[in-house]
C-alpha cells in the first residue's frame, strides 16, 4: 500500500473567557480521531487566548 502526500492543516482554537470545556474537547477529539483513522498527522491544533495564559 502507498501513502499519498496530503497537505497538513493547522487549527488555532481560541479559548475566550468562560469557554466550554465540552466544546473544546469535542473539537480536539474530532481532529485527533481523524488523524488516527488516516494513520497520519494531517490535522494539528494549537490553543490561543487573548493573554496567552491557559
Amino acid at each position: 500500500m502507498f501513502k499519498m502526500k496530503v497537505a497538513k492543516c493547522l487549527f488555532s482554537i481560541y479559548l475566550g473567557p468562560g469557554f466550554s470545556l465540552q466544546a473544546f474537547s469535542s473539537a480536539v477529539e474530532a481532529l485527533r480521531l481523524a488523524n488516527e483513522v488516516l494513520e497520519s498527522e494531517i490535522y494539528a491544533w494549537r490553543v490561543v487566548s487573548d493573554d496567552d495564559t491557559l
Side-chain angles (χ1 to χ4, degrees):
M1 179 186 262
F2 66 93
K3 292 207 176 211
M4 295 175 26
K5 288 188 178 185
V6 178
K8 297 193 180 216
C9 187
L10 173 64
F11 289 85
S12 295
I13 300 175
Y14 172 73
L15 299 183
F19 72 93
S20 163
L21 186 56
Q22 183 176 8
F24 170 71
S25 61
S26 294
V28 170
E29 181 62 9
L31 299 172
R32 187 203 64 77
L33 185 57
N35 285 340
E36 185 177 313
V37 168
L38 296 170
E39 297 179 347
S40 183
E41 293 283 328
I42 293 175
Y43 300 104
W45 56 91
R46 64 183 176 180
V47 179
V48 296
S49 69
D50 285 339
D51 58 7
D52 293 329
T53 58
L54 300 174

